[in-house]
C-alpha cells in the first residue's frame, strides 16, 4: 500500500523471497518452515524516483529494529529485509542502513541485506490486498497510520 502511492512506482507485487524451500505459498511461509520473508517486488522508473528514495521510504515505513517481527506478527517470515539485484543496489542498501535508517529509529537496525535469488509472487488474493480489503482489521488499523505518515513526510513524492 505504501509503495503503490509513490510517484515513479509502476507496480508492486507481493510475494516471498530469501527462503530455502523450492517453492513458497502463504500457508507454507506462514508455517515458518520455508525461511522465506514476506516481501514485495517493486518496479519503478528511476527517472522519476531513485532507489535511494525508495530505501528512505522503506526504512521510514516499517520497524527496522525488531528481529523477526513486524507489529503483531512474529516469525522469520516477518524479518526486515532488503533483497538487492545488483552491486549498486547492495552498496546503496548498506549505506542507507548505516546512514539513513538510524535517523528514523533509535534502536539498532536489524535489517538483513541479501542477494535476491528467487522471488515467488504471492497468491492473487494477496495482491493489492489493502485496496481490496480496507475493512479487514489489519488493514483498517495498521495501514492508515503508515499512509498518513508517508503523506506527511513524503508528500512531494506521491502520485498526483
Amino acid at each position: 500500500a505504501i509503495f503503490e502511492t509513490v510517484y515513479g512506482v509502476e507496480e508492486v507485487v507481493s510475494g516471498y523471497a530469501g527462503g530455502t524451500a523450492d517453492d513458497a505459498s502463504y500457508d507454507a511461509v506462514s508455517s515458518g518452515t520455508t525461511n522465506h520473508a514476506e516481501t514485495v517486488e517493486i518496479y519503478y522508473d528511476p527517472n522519476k524516483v531513485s532507489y535511494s528514495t525508495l530505501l528512505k521510504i522503506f526504512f521510514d515505513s516499517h520497524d527496522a529494529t525488531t528481529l523477526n517481527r513486524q507489529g503483531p506478527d512474529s516469525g522469520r517470515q516477518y524479518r526486515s529485509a532488503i533483497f538487492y539485484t545488483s552491486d549498486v543496489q547492495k552498496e546503496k542498501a548498506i549505506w542507507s542502513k548505516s546512514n539513513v535508517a538510524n535517523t528514523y529509529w533509535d534502536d539498532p537496525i536489524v535489517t538483513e541485506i541479501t542477494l535476491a535469488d528467487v522471488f515467488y509472487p504471492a497468491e492473487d488474493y494477496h495482491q493489492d490486498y489493502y485496496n481490496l480489503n480496507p475493512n479487514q482489521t489489519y488493514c483498517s488499523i495498521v495501514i492508515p497510520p503508515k499512509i498518513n505518515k508517508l503523506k506527511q513526510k513524503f508528500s512531494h513524492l506521491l502520485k498526483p
Side-chain angles (χ1 to χ4, degrees):
I2 298 295
F3 288 104
E4 288 176 340
T5 65
V6 176
Y7 177 75
V9 172
E10 298 168 348
E11 184 179 8
V12 178
V13 180
S14 296
Y16 319 103
T20 53
D22 292 335
D23 198 3
S25 67
Y26 180 74
D27 290 337
V29 171
S30 295
S31 74
T33 61
T34 69
N35 203 35
H36 286 92
E38 290 189 6
T39 189
V40 292
E41 190 169 59
I42 301 172
Y43 296 90
Y44 66 99
D45 181 342
N47 295 313
K48 295 178 181 176
V49 64
S50 70
Y51 183 68
S52 296
T53 296
L54 295 175
L55 288 169
K56 285 180 188 176
I57 293 168
F58 170 79
F59 281 117
D60 188 57
S61 66
H62 85 291
D63 187 345
T65 67
T66 54
L67 188 63
N68 300 330
R69 175 179 229 55
Q70 288 300 312
D73 298 320
S74 65
R76 186 140 167 81
Q77 66 270 29
Y78 299 109
R79 66 191 180 269
S80 175
I82 297 169
F83 298 99
Y84 62 88
T85 59
S86 70
D87 288 341
V88 171
Q89 283 187 351
K90 178 183 179 182
E91 291 170 16
K92 288 182 179 186
I94 291 169
W95 188 90
S96 188
K97 178 180 175 179
S98 298
N99 297 287
V100 175
N102 58 10
T103 66
Y104 299 117
W105 302 100
D106 293 329
D107 293 331
I109 306 302
V110 298
T111 302
E112 169 186 303
I113 299 173
T114 306
L115 178 64
D117 52 3
V118 179
F119 175 81
Y120 297 97
E123 298 77 2
D124 287 345
Y125 70 92
H126 281 290
Q127 305 304 329
D128 203 24
Y129 193 81
Y130 174 71
N131 289 330
L132 296 174
N133 301 279
N135 297 319
Q136 191 267 354
T137 304
Y138 182 87
C139 292
S140 65
I141 294 173
V142 175
I143 304 300
K146 290 177 182 259
I147 291 176
N148 289 336
K149 183 175 156 184
L150 177 75
K151 288 178 181 177
Q152 289 172 356
K153 289 187 167 187
F154 299 100
S155 62
H156 61 290
L157 300 174
L158 301 180
K159 290 178 181 172

